[in-house]
PDB file of all heavy atoms in Angstrom:
ATOM      1  N   GLU A   1      26.637  31.102 -46.691  1.00 93.00           N
ATOM      2  CA  GLU A   1      27.042  29.722 -46.506  1.00 93.00           C
ATOM      3  C   GLU A   1      25.840  28.796 -46.714  1.00 93.00           C
ATOM      4  O   GLU A   1      24.708  29.140 -46.389  1.00 93.00           O
ATOM      5  CB  GLU A   1      27.592  29.550 -45.096  1.00 93.00           C
ATOM      6  CG  GLU A   1      28.227  28.208 -44.859  1.00 93.00           C
ATOM      7  CD  GLU A   1      28.831  28.108 -43.473  1.00 93.00           C
ATOM      8  OE1 GLU A   1      29.421  29.103 -43.017  1.00 93.00           O
ATOM      9  OE2 GLU A   1      28.689  27.040 -42.880  1.00 93.00           O
ATOM     10  N   LEU A   2      26.091  27.624 -47.250  1.00 93.00           N
ATOM     11  CA  LEU A   2      25.036  26.671 -47.568  1.00 93.00           C
ATOM     12  C   LEU A   2      24.198  26.315 -46.341  1.00 93.00           C
ATOM     13  O   LEU A   2      22.966  26.274 -46.412  1.00 93.00           O
ATOM     14  CB  LEU A   2      25.630  25.419 -48.206  1.00 93.00           C
ATOM     15  CG  LEU A   2      24.643  24.363 -48.688  1.00 93.00           C
ATOM     16  CD1 LEU A   2      23.657  24.941 -49.691  1.00 93.00           C
ATOM     17  CD2 LEU A   2      25.390  23.189 -49.291  1.00 93.00           C
ATOM     18  N   THR A   3      24.835  26.089 -45.213  1.00 95.00           N
ATOM     19  CA  THR A   3      24.104  25.750 -43.990  1.00 95.00           C
ATOM     20  C   THR A   3      23.166  26.882 -43.592  1.00 95.00           C
ATOM     21  O   THR A   3      22.018  26.641 -43.204  1.00 95.00           O
ATOM     22  CB  THR A   3      25.097  25.461 -42.842  1.00 95.00           C
ATOM     23  OG1 THR A   3      25.994  24.452 -43.268  1.00 95.00           O
ATOM     24  CG2 THR A   3      24.380  25.022 -41.587  1.00 95.00           C
ATOM     25  N   TYR A   4      23.640  28.108 -43.715  1.00 97.00           N
ATOM     26  CA  TYR A   4      22.815  29.272 -43.393  1.00 97.00           C
ATOM     27  C   TYR A   4      21.600  29.346 -44.315  1.00 97.00           C
ATOM     28  O   TYR A   4      20.477  29.594 -43.855  1.00 97.00           O
ATOM     29  CB  TYR A   4      23.646  30.554 -43.501  1.00 97.00           C
ATOM     30  CG  TYR A   4      22.829  31.807 -43.361  1.00 97.00           C
ATOM     31  CD1 TYR A   4      22.425  32.255 -42.117  1.00 97.00           C
ATOM     32  CD2 TYR A   4      22.434  32.527 -44.490  1.00 97.00           C
ATOM     33  CE1 TYR A   4      21.653  33.407 -41.984  1.00 97.00           C
ATOM     34  CE2 TYR A   4      21.668  33.672 -44.366  1.00 97.00           C
ATOM     35  CZ  TYR A   4      21.278  34.108 -43.109  1.00 97.00           C
ATOM     36  OH  TYR A   4      20.509  35.233 -42.986  1.00 97.00           O
ATOM     37  N   VAL A   5      21.808  29.133 -45.593  1.00 97.00           N
ATOM     38  CA  VAL A   5      20.719  29.205 -46.567  1.00 97.00           C
ATOM     39  C   VAL A   5      19.661  28.143 -46.245  1.00 97.00           C
ATOM     40  O   VAL A   5      18.472  28.428 -46.236  1.00 97.00           O
ATOM     41  CB  VAL A   5      21.242  29.045 -48.007  1.00 97.00           C
ATOM     42  CG1 VAL A   5      20.104  28.941 -49.001  1.00 97.00           C
ATOM     43  CG2 VAL A   5      22.156  30.199 -48.371  1.00 97.00           C
ATOM     44  N   ARG A   6      20.115  26.929 -45.956  1.00 97.00           N
ATOM     45  CA  ARG A   6      19.172  25.854 -45.627  1.00 97.00           C
ATOM     46  C   ARG A   6      18.382  26.165 -44.365  1.00 97.00           C
ATOM     47  O   ARG A   6      17.171  25.921 -44.306  1.00 97.00           O
ATOM     48  CB  ARG A   6      19.922  24.538 -45.483  1.00 97.00           C
ATOM     49  CG  ARG A   6      20.377  23.979 -46.805  1.00 97.00           C
ATOM     50  CD  ARG A   6      21.120  22.680 -46.643  1.00 97.00           C
ATOM     51  NE  ARG A   6      21.337  22.049 -47.934  1.00 97.00           N
ATOM     52  CZ  ARG A   6      22.296  21.196 -48.180  1.00 97.00           C
ATOM     53  NH1 ARG A   6      23.142  20.841 -47.213  1.00 97.00           N
ATOM     54  NH2 ARG A   6      22.429  20.669 -49.378  1.00 97.00           N
ATOM     55  N   THR A   7      19.046  26.730 -43.373  1.00 97.00           N
ATOM     56  CA  THR A   7      18.362  27.103 -42.132  1.00 97.00           C
ATOM     57  C   THR A   7      17.335  28.189 -42.396  1.00 97.00           C
ATOM     58  O   THR A   7      16.203  28.123 -41.888  1.00 97.00           O
ATOM     59  CB  THR A   7      19.391  27.578 -41.084  1.00 97.00           C
ATOM     60  OG1 THR A   7      20.343  26.534 -40.863  1.00 97.00           O
ATOM     61  CG2 THR A   7      18.728  27.942 -39.780  1.00 97.00           C
ATOM     62  N   GLU A   8      17.700  29.181 -43.173  1.00 98.00           N
ATOM     63  CA  GLU A   8      16.776  30.263 -43.510  1.00 98.00           C
ATOM     64  C   GLU A   8      15.541  29.740 -44.241  1.00 98.00           C
ATOM     65  O   GLU A   8      14.429  30.190 -43.991  1.00 98.00           O
ATOM     66  CB  GLU A   8      17.473  31.322 -44.374  1.00 98.00           C
ATOM     67  CG  GLU A   8      18.271  32.316 -43.600  1.00 98.00           C
ATOM     68  CD  GLU A   8      17.421  33.153 -42.662  1.00 98.00           C
ATOM     69  OE1 GLU A   8      16.461  33.801 -43.105  1.00 98.00           O
ATOM     70  OE2 GLU A   8      17.721  33.140 -41.460  1.00 98.00           O
ATOM     71  N   ILE A   9      15.743  28.801 -45.139  1.00 98.00           N
ATOM     72  CA  ILE A   9      14.613  28.222 -45.876  1.00 98.00           C
ATOM     73  C   ILE A   9      13.644  27.571 -44.896  1.00 98.00           C
ATOM     74  O   ILE A   9      12.430  27.787 -44.976  1.00 98.00           O
ATOM     75  CB  ILE A   9      15.103  27.214 -46.933  1.00 98.00           C
ATOM     76  CG1 ILE A   9      15.810  27.943 -48.077  1.00 98.00           C
ATOM     77  CG2 ILE A   9      13.930  26.388 -47.478  1.00 98.00           C
ATOM     78  CD1 ILE A   9      16.548  27.029 -49.038  1.00 98.00           C
ATOM     79  N   GLU A  10      14.159  26.791 -43.967  1.00 98.00           N
ATOM     80  CA  GLU A  10      13.295  26.110 -43.001  1.00 98.00           C
ATOM     81  C   GLU A  10      12.564  27.095 -42.106  1.00 98.00           C
ATOM     82  O   GLU A  10      11.366  26.942 -41.851  1.00 98.00           O
ATOM     83  CB  GLU A  10      14.109  25.124 -42.156  1.00 98.00           C
ATOM     84  CG  GLU A  10      14.563  23.917 -42.940  1.00 98.00           C
ATOM     85  CD  GLU A  10      13.418  23.205 -43.651  1.00 98.00           C
ATOM     86  OE1 GLU A  10      12.387  22.930 -43.014  1.00 98.00           O
ATOM     87  OE2 GLU A  10      13.554  22.925 -44.855  1.00 98.00           O
ATOM     88  N   ILE A  11      13.263  28.119 -41.639  1.00 98.00           N
ATOM     89  CA  ILE A  11      12.631  29.133 -40.791  1.00 98.00           C
ATOM     90  C   ILE A  11      11.515  29.826 -41.546  1.00 98.00           C
ATOM     91  O   ILE A  11      10.398  30.007 -41.042  1.00 98.00           O
ATOM     92  CB  ILE A  11      13.679  30.156 -40.303  1.00 98.00           C
ATOM     93  CG1 ILE A  11      14.614  29.504 -39.294  1.00 98.00           C
ATOM     94  CG2 ILE A  11      13.010  31.398 -39.716  1.00 98.00           C
ATOM     95  CD1 ILE A  11      15.836  30.336 -38.946  1.00 98.00           C
ATOM     96  N   ARG A  12      11.791  30.213 -42.761  1.00 98.00           N
ATOM     97  CA  ARG A  12      10.788  30.939 -43.552  1.00 98.00           C
ATOM     98  C   ARG A  12       9.605  30.054 -43.941  1.00 98.00           C
ATOM     99  O   ARG A  12       8.477  30.528 -44.036  1.00 98.00           O
ATOM    100  CB  ARG A  12      11.442  31.579 -44.763  1.00 98.00           C
ATOM    101  CG  ARG A  12      12.341  32.738 -44.334  1.00 98.00           C
ATOM    102  CD  ARG A  12      13.140  33.297 -45.475  1.00 98.00           C
ATOM    103  NE  ARG A  12      14.125  34.235 -45.012  1.00 98.00           N
ATOM    104  CZ  ARG A  12      13.971  35.563 -45.082  1.00 98.00           C
ATOM    105  NH1 ARG A  12      12.883  36.079 -45.593  1.00 98.00           N
ATOM    106  NH2 ARG A  12      14.929  36.357 -44.649  1.00 98.00           N
ATOM    107  N   ARG A  13       9.840  28.775 -44.139  1.00 98.00           N
ATOM    108  CA  ARG A  13       8.724  27.878 -44.435  1.00 98.00           C
ATOM    109  C   ARG A  13       7.783  27.775 -43.244  1.00 98.00           C
ATOM    110  O   ARG A  13       6.565  27.718 -43.404  1.00 98.00           O
ATOM    111  CB  ARG A  13       9.239  26.505 -44.851  1.00 98.00           C
ATOM    112  CG  ARG A  13       9.768  26.496 -46.269  1.00 98.00           C
ATOM    113  CD  ARG A  13      10.223  25.139 -46.702  1.00 98.00           C
ATOM    114  NE  ARG A  13      10.609  25.159 -48.115  1.00 98.00           N
ATOM    115  CZ  ARG A  13      11.352  24.244 -48.688  1.00 98.00           C
ATOM    116  NH1 ARG A  13      11.803  23.215 -47.995  1.00 98.00           N
ATOM    117  NH2 ARG A  13      11.661  24.344 -49.968  1.00 98.00           N
ATOM    118  N   ARG A  14       8.357  27.748 -42.028  1.00 98.00           N
ATOM    119  CA  ARG A  14       7.506  27.750 -40.828  1.00 98.00           C
ATOM    120  C   ARG A  14       6.717  29.049 -40.729  1.00 98.00           C
ATOM    121  O   ARG A  14       5.536  29.053 -40.382  1.00 98.00           O
ATOM    122  CB  ARG A  14       8.354  27.547 -39.574  1.00 98.00           C
ATOM    123  CG  ARG A  14       8.696  26.101 -39.351  1.00 98.00           C
ATOM    124  CD  ARG A  14       9.392  25.895 -38.010  1.00 98.00           C
ATOM    125  NE  ARG A  14      10.648  25.218 -38.303  1.00 98.00           N
ATOM    126  CZ  ARG A  14      11.859  25.695 -38.103  1.00 98.00           C
ATOM    127  NH1 ARG A  14      12.023  26.864 -37.537  1.00 98.00           N
ATOM    128  NH2 ARG A  14      12.922  25.007 -38.429  1.00 98.00           N
ATOM    129  N   GLN A  15       7.354  30.175 -41.047  1.00 98.00           N
ATOM    130  CA  GLN A  15       6.660  31.462 -41.032  1.00 98.00           C
ATOM    131  C   GLN A  15       5.524  31.480 -42.052  1.00 98.00           C
ATOM    132  O   GLN A  15       4.447  32.033 -41.786  1.00 98.00           O
ATOM    133  CB  GLN A  15       7.634  32.603 -41.330  1.00 98.00           C
ATOM    134  CG  GLN A  15       8.626  32.862 -40.230  1.00 98.00           C
ATOM    135  CD  GLN A  15       9.686  33.894 -40.629  1.00 98.00           C
ATOM    136  OE1 GLN A  15       9.947  34.101 -41.819  1.00 98.00           O
ATOM    137  NE2 GLN A  15      10.291  34.509 -39.641  1.00 98.00           N
ATOM    138  N   ILE A  16       5.751  30.878 -43.198  1.00 98.00           N
ATOM    139  CA  ILE A  16       4.723  30.813 -44.239  1.00 98.00           C
ATOM    140  C   ILE A  16       3.524  30.004 -43.742  1.00 98.00           C
ATOM    141  O   ILE A  16       2.370  30.393 -43.957  1.00 98.00           O
ATOM    142  CB  ILE A  16       5.307  30.224 -45.541  1.00 98.00           C
ATOM    143  CG1 ILE A  16       6.220  31.261 -46.214  1.00 98.00           C
ATOM    144  CG2 ILE A  16       4.210  29.759 -46.488  1.00 98.00           C
ATOM    145  CD1 ILE A  16       7.053  30.723 -47.347  1.00 98.00           C
ATOM    146  N   MET A  17       3.785  28.892 -43.069  1.00 98.00           N
ATOM    147  CA  MET A  17       2.674  28.090 -42.537  1.00 98.00           C
ATOM    148  C   MET A  17       1.864  28.903 -41.529  1.00 98.00           C
ATOM    149  O   MET A  17       0.630  28.878 -41.554  1.00 98.00           O
ATOM    150  CB  MET A  17       3.206  26.803 -41.893  1.00 98.00           C
ATOM    151  CG  MET A  17       3.695  25.811 -42.922  1.00 98.00           C
ATOM    152  SD  MET A  17       4.248  24.175 -42.348  1.00 98.00           S
ATOM    153  CE  MET A  17       4.365  24.274 -40.612  1.00 98.00           C
ATOM    154  N   ARG A  18       2.545  29.651 -40.661  1.00 98.00           N
ATOM    155  CA  ARG A  18       1.831  30.492 -39.694  1.00 98.00           C
ATOM    156  C   ARG A  18       1.027  31.571 -40.402  1.00 98.00           C
ATOM    157  O   ARG A  18      -0.113  31.866 -40.019  1.00 98.00           O
ATOM    158  CB  ARG A  18       2.814  31.122 -38.708  1.00 98.00           C
ATOM    159  CG  ARG A  18       3.328  30.153 -37.670  1.00 98.00           C
ATOM    160  CD  ARG A  18       4.017  30.861 -36.517  1.00 98.00           C
ATOM    161  NE  ARG A  18       5.181  31.637 -36.925  1.00 98.00           N
ATOM    162  CZ  ARG A  18       6.421  31.172 -36.962  1.00 98.00           C
ATOM    163  NH1 ARG A  18       6.677  29.932 -36.619  1.00 98.00           N
ATOM    164  NH2 ARG A  18       7.410  31.951 -37.331  1.00 98.00           N
ATOM    165  N   GLN A  19       1.604  32.152 -41.441  1.00 98.00           N
ATOM    166  CA  GLN A  19       0.909  33.203 -42.184  1.00 98.00           C
ATOM    167  C   GLN A  19      -0.345  32.651 -42.858  1.00 98.00           C
ATOM    168  O   GLN A  19      -1.398  33.295 -42.851  1.00 98.00           O
ATOM    169  CB  GLN A  19       1.850  33.826 -43.219  1.00 98.00           C
ATOM    170  CG  GLN A  19       1.260  34.983 -43.993  1.00 98.00           C
ATOM    171  CD  GLN A  19       1.060  36.223 -43.148  1.00 98.00           C
ATOM    172  OE1 GLN A  19       1.550  36.323 -42.027  1.00 98.00           O
ATOM    173  NE2 GLN A  19       0.335  37.179 -43.685  1.00 98.00           N
ATOM    174  N   ARG A  20      -0.255  31.461 -43.418  1.00 98.00           N
ATOM    175  CA  ARG A  20      -1.421  30.850 -44.059  1.00 98.00           C
ATOM    176  C   ARG A  20      -2.536  30.595 -43.040  1.00 98.00           C
ATOM    177  O   ARG A  20      -3.708  30.813 -43.324  1.00 98.00           O
ATOM    178  CB  ARG A  20      -1.023  29.552 -44.754  1.00 98.00           C
ATOM    179  CG  ARG A  20      -0.286  29.780 -46.043  1.00 98.00           C
ATOM    180  CD  ARG A  20       0.021  28.491 -46.760  1.00 98.00           C
ATOM    181  NE  ARG A  20       0.526  28.765 -48.095  1.00 98.00           N
ATOM    182  CZ  ARG A  20       1.481  28.090 -48.683  1.00 98.00           C
ATOM    183  NH1 ARG A  20       2.055  27.074 -48.078  1.00 98.00           N
ATOM    184  NH2 ARG A  20       1.888  28.412 -49.896  1.00 98.00           N
ATOM    185  N   LYS A  21      -2.154  30.124 -41.852  1.00 98.00           N
ATOM    186  CA  LYS A  21      -3.141  29.900 -40.794  1.00 98.00           C
ATOM    187  C   LYS A  21      -3.792  31.211 -40.366  1.00 98.00           C
ATOM    188  O   LYS A  21      -5.000  31.267 -40.129  1.00 98.00           O
ATOM    189  CB  LYS A  21      -2.493  29.219 -39.590  1.00 98.00           C
ATOM    190  CG  LYS A  21      -2.141  27.778 -39.850  1.00 98.00           C
ATOM    191  CD  LYS A  21      -1.460  27.158 -38.650  1.00 98.00           C
ATOM    192  CE  LYS A  21      -1.003  25.734 -38.959  1.00 98.00           C
ATOM    193  NZ  LYS A  21      -0.289  25.138 -37.828  1.00 98.00           N
ATOM    194  N   GLU A  22      -2.988  32.261 -40.293  1.00 98.00           N
ATOM    195  CA  GLU A  22      -3.512  33.568 -39.926  1.00 98.00           C
ATOM    196  C   GLU A  22      -4.501  34.064 -40.985  1.00 98.00           C
ATOM    197  O   GLU A  22      -5.554  34.614 -40.658  1.00 98.00           O
ATOM    198  CB  GLU A  22      -2.370  34.567 -39.765  1.00 98.00           C
ATOM    199  CG  GLU A  22      -2.831  35.920 -39.276  1.00 98.00           C
ATOM    200  CD  GLU A  22      -1.679  36.876 -39.051  1.00 98.00           C
ATOM    201  OE1 GLU A  22      -0.643  36.446 -38.528  1.00 98.00           O
ATOM    202  OE2 GLU A  22      -1.835  38.057 -39.415  1.00 98.00           O
ATOM    203  N   ILE A  23      -4.168  33.866 -42.248  1.00 98.00           N
ATOM    204  CA  ILE A  23      -5.071  34.274 -43.332  1.00 98.00           C
ATOM    205  C   ILE A  23      -6.393  33.520 -43.221  1.00 98.00           C
ATOM    206  O   ILE A  23      -7.468  34.109 -43.363  1.00 98.00           O
ATOM    207  CB  ILE A  23      -4.408  34.056 -44.710  1.00 98.00           C
ATOM    208  CG1 ILE A  23      -3.282  35.081 -44.917  1.00 98.00           C
ATOM    209  CG2 ILE A  23      -5.430  34.156 -45.840  1.00 98.00           C
ATOM    210  CD1 ILE A  23      -2.417  34.828 -46.130  1.00 98.00           C
ATOM    211  N   GLN A  24      -6.326  32.226 -42.948  1.00 98.00           N
ATOM    212  CA  GLN A  24      -7.548  31.443 -42.794  1.00 98.00           C
ATOM    213  C   GLN A  24      -8.392  31.964 -41.634  1.00 98.00           C
ATOM    214  O   GLN A  24      -9.617  32.068 -41.742  1.00 98.00           O
ATOM    215  CB  GLN A  24      -7.225  29.969 -42.581  1.00 98.00           C
ATOM    216  CG  GLN A  24      -6.691  29.285 -43.816  1.00 98.00           C
ATOM    217  CD  GLN A  24      -6.245  27.854 -43.542  1.00 98.00           C
ATOM    218  OE1 GLN A  24      -6.047  27.455 -42.403  1.00 98.00           O
ATOM    219  NE2 GLN A  24      -6.082  27.081 -44.607  1.00 98.00           N
ATOM    220  N   ALA A  25      -7.754  32.302 -40.531  1.00 98.00           N
ATOM    221  CA  ALA A  25      -8.483  32.829 -39.373  1.00 98.00           C
ATOM    222  C   ALA A  25      -9.135  34.164 -39.720  1.00 98.00           C
ATOM    223  O   ALA A  25     -10.294  34.410 -39.330  1.00 98.00           O
ATOM    224  CB  ALA A  25      -7.535  32.986 -38.183  1.00 98.00           C
ATOM    225  N   LEU A  26      -8.419  35.003 -40.430  1.00 97.00           N
ATOM    226  CA  LEU A  26      -8.987  36.288 -40.839  1.00 97.00           C
ATOM    227  C   LEU A  26     -10.184  36.085 -41.769  1.00 97.00           C
ATOM    228  O   LEU A  26     -11.207  36.772 -41.650  1.00 97.00           O
ATOM    229  CB  LEU A  26      -7.918  37.144 -41.535  1.00 97.00           C
ATOM    230  CG  LEU A  26      -6.793  37.684 -40.654  1.00 97.00           C
ATOM    231  CD1 LEU A  26      -5.701  38.306 -41.514  1.00 97.00           C
ATOM    232  CD2 LEU A  26      -7.321  38.690 -39.650  1.00 97.00           C
ATOM    233  N   GLN A  27     -10.065  35.144 -42.692  1.00 97.00           N
ATOM    234  CA  GLN A  27     -11.160  34.868 -43.618  1.00 97.00           C
ATOM    235  C   GLN A  27     -12.388  34.367 -42.873  1.00 97.00           C
ATOM    236  O   GLN A  27     -13.517  34.758 -43.177  1.00 97.00           O
ATOM    237  CB  GLN A  27     -10.722  33.863 -44.682  1.00 97.00           C
ATOM    238  CG  GLN A  27      -9.756  34.451 -45.681  1.00 97.00           C
ATOM    239  CD  GLN A  27      -9.144  33.416 -46.606  1.00 97.00           C
ATOM    240  OE1 GLN A  27      -9.078  32.226 -46.274  1.00 97.00           O
ATOM    241  NE2 GLN A  27      -8.670  33.864 -47.763  1.00 97.00           N
ATOM    242  N   ARG A  28     -12.182  33.490 -41.901  1.00 97.00           N
ATOM    243  CA  ARG A  28     -13.312  32.985 -41.103  1.00 97.00           C
ATOM    244  C   ARG A  28     -13.989  34.107 -40.331  1.00 97.00           C
ATOM    245  O   ARG A  28     -15.197  34.092 -40.138  1.00 97.00           O
ATOM    246  CB  ARG A  28     -12.846  31.894 -40.136  1.00 97.00           C
ATOM    247  CG  ARG A  28     -12.645  30.551 -40.791  1.00 97.00           C
ATOM    248  CD  ARG A  28     -12.493  29.450 -39.761  1.00 97.00           C
ATOM    249  NE  ARG A  28     -11.285  29.601 -38.962  1.00 97.00           N
ATOM    250  CZ  ARG A  28     -10.101  29.068 -39.245  1.00 97.00           C
ATOM    251  NH1 ARG A  28      -9.959  28.326 -40.321  1.00 97.00           N
ATOM    252  NH2 ARG A  28      -9.065  29.269 -38.460  1.00 97.00           N
ATOM    253  N   ALA A  29     -13.199  35.091 -39.907  1.00 98.00           N
ATOM    254  CA  ALA A  29     -13.742  36.219 -39.156  1.00 98.00           C
ATOM    255  C   ALA A  29     -14.336  37.286 -40.069  1.00 98.00           C
ATOM    256  O   ALA A  29     -14.907  38.263 -39.586  1.00 98.00           O
ATOM    257  CB  ALA A  29     -12.646  36.834 -38.294  1.00 98.00           C
ATOM    258  N   GLY A  30     -14.198  37.092 -41.375  1.00 97.00           N
ATOM    259  CA  GLY A  30     -14.752  38.049 -42.324  1.00 97.00           C
ATOM    260  C   GLY A  30     -13.917  39.311 -42.478  1.00 97.00           C
ATOM    261  O   GLY A  30     -14.415  40.347 -42.912  1.00 97.00           O
ATOM    262  N   ILE A  31     -12.659  39.243 -42.128  1.00 97.00           N
ATOM    263  CA  ILE A  31     -11.755  40.390 -42.219  1.00 97.00           C
ATOM    264  C   ILE A  31     -10.994  40.309 -43.547  1.00 97.00           C
ATOM    265  O   ILE A  31     -10.536  39.229 -43.931  1.00 97.00           O
ATOM    266  CB  ILE A  31     -10.769  40.379 -41.030  1.00 97.00           C
ATOM    267  CG1 ILE A  31     -11.548  40.491 -39.717  1.00 97.00           C
ATOM    268  CG2 ILE A  31      -9.740  41.502 -41.152  1.00 97.00           C
ATOM    269  CD1 ILE A  31     -10.707  40.276 -38.478  1.00 97.00           C
ATOM    270  N   PRO A  32     -10.861  41.429 -44.252  1.00 96.00           N
ATOM    271  CA  PRO A  32     -10.121  41.425 -45.518  1.00 96.00           C
ATOM    272  C   PRO A  32      -8.681  40.924 -45.332  1.00 96.00           C
ATOM    273  O   PRO A  32      -8.027  41.254 -44.343  1.00 96.00           O
ATOM    274  CB  PRO A  32     -10.126  42.886 -45.962  1.00 96.00           C
ATOM    275  CG  PRO A  32     -11.257  43.514 -45.220  1.00 96.00           C
ATOM    276  CD  PRO A  32     -11.389  42.754 -43.935  1.00 96.00           C
ATOM    277  N   THR A  33      -8.207  40.142 -46.283  1.00 97.00           N
ATOM    278  CA  THR A  33      -6.887  39.512 -46.170  1.00 97.00           C
ATOM    279  C   THR A  33      -5.913  39.959 -47.251  1.00 97.00           C
ATOM    280  O   THR A  33      -4.851  39.352 -47.397  1.00 97.00           O
ATOM    281  CB  THR A  33      -7.038  37.977 -46.248  1.00 97.00           C
ATOM    282  OG1 THR A  33      -7.671  37.636 -47.479  1.00 97.00           O
ATOM    283  CG2 THR A  33      -7.843  37.442 -45.089  1.00 97.00           C
ATOM    284  N   THR A  34      -6.244  41.010 -47.962  1.00 97.00           N
ATOM    285  CA  THR A  34      -5.411  41.444 -49.085  1.00 97.00           C
ATOM    286  C   THR A  34      -3.963  41.692 -48.669  1.00 97.00           C
ATOM    287  O   THR A  34      -3.038  41.172 -49.294  1.00 97.00           O
ATOM    288  CB  THR A  34      -5.989  42.712 -49.732  1.00 97.00           C
ATOM    289  OG1 THR A  34      -7.343  42.460 -50.085  1.00 97.00           O
ATOM    290  CG2 THR A  34      -5.205  43.109 -50.965  1.00 97.00           C
ATOM    291  N   SER A  35      -3.756  42.462 -47.617  1.00 97.00           N
ATOM    292  CA  SER A  35      -2.382  42.786 -47.213  1.00 97.00           C
ATOM    293  C   SER A  35      -1.665  41.543 -46.695  1.00 97.00           C
ATOM    294  O   SER A  35      -0.462  41.364 -46.944  1.00 97.00           O
ATOM    295  CB  SER A  35      -2.359  43.895 -46.161  1.00 97.00           C
ATOM    296  OG  SER A  35      -3.038  43.470 -45.000  1.00 97.00           O
ATOM    297  N   ALA A  36      -2.368  40.657 -45.999  1.00 97.00           N
ATOM    298  CA  ALA A  36      -1.765  39.422 -45.504  1.00 97.00           C
ATOM    299  C   ALA A  36      -1.378  38.520 -46.669  1.00 97.00           C
ATOM    300  O   ALA A  36      -0.333  37.859 -46.638  1.00 97.00           O
ATOM    301  CB  ALA A  36      -2.721  38.703 -44.560  1.00 97.00           C
ATOM    302  N   GLU A  37      -2.200  38.488 -47.712  1.00 98.00           N
ATOM    303  CA  GLU A  37      -1.895  37.675 -48.893  1.00 98.00           C
ATOM    304  C   GLU A  37      -0.712  38.248 -49.666  1.00 98.00           C
ATOM    305  O   GLU A  37       0.101  37.495 -50.218  1.00 98.00           O
ATOM    306  CB  GLU A  37      -3.127  37.549 -49.771  1.00 98.00           C
ATOM    307  CG  GLU A  37      -4.204  36.674 -49.125  1.00 98.00           C
ATOM    308  CD  GLU A  37      -5.526  36.689 -49.869  1.00 98.00           C
ATOM    309  OE1 GLU A  37      -5.672  37.453 -50.843  1.00 98.00           O
ATOM    310  OE2 GLU A  37      -6.411  35.935 -49.455  1.00 98.00           O
ATOM    311  N   GLU A  38      -0.606  39.586 -49.704  1.00 98.00           N
ATOM    312  CA  GLU A  38       0.552  40.207 -50.358  1.00 98.00           C
ATOM    313  C   GLU A  38       1.841  39.881 -49.605  1.00 98.00           C
ATOM    314  O   GLU A  38       2.872  39.596 -50.214  1.00 98.00           O
ATOM    315  CB  GLU A  38       0.356  41.719 -50.452  1.00 98.00           C
ATOM    316  CG  GLU A  38      -0.721  42.116 -51.443  1.00 98.00           C
ATOM    317  CD  GLU A  38      -1.078  43.593 -51.378  1.00 98.00           C
ATOM    318  OE1 GLU A  38      -0.574  44.312 -50.477  1.00 98.00           O
ATOM    319  OE2 GLU A  38      -1.870  44.031 -52.217  1.00 98.00           O
TER     320      GLU A  38
END
């Protein structure tokens, strides 16, 4: 359903923002980020 698809997009966009922040934190700590980037 269209409403479901739109909701999923918003949820996943928030997850993407969290993932990007996590990657930045890992990079600052000098930890490899290959799997997080994949």
Side-chain angles (χ1 to χ4, degrees):
E1 188 177 320
L2 184 57
T3 305
Y4 172 79
V5 173
R6 287 180 170 156
T7 302
E8 277 297 304
I9 290 169
E10 289 307 311
I11 290 169
R12 290 173 189 259
R13 284 182 175 162
R14 279 187 235 116
Q15 290 173 337
I16 287 169
M17 288 184 349
R18 285 194 299 269
Q19 183 70 12
R20 284 184 170 142
K21 288 178 185 178
E22 185 177 319
I23 289 171
Q24 289 174 343
L26 290 171
Q27 288 171 336
R28 282 193 295 269
I31 299 171
T33 58
T34 305
S35 62
E37 290 171 355
E38 290 171 354

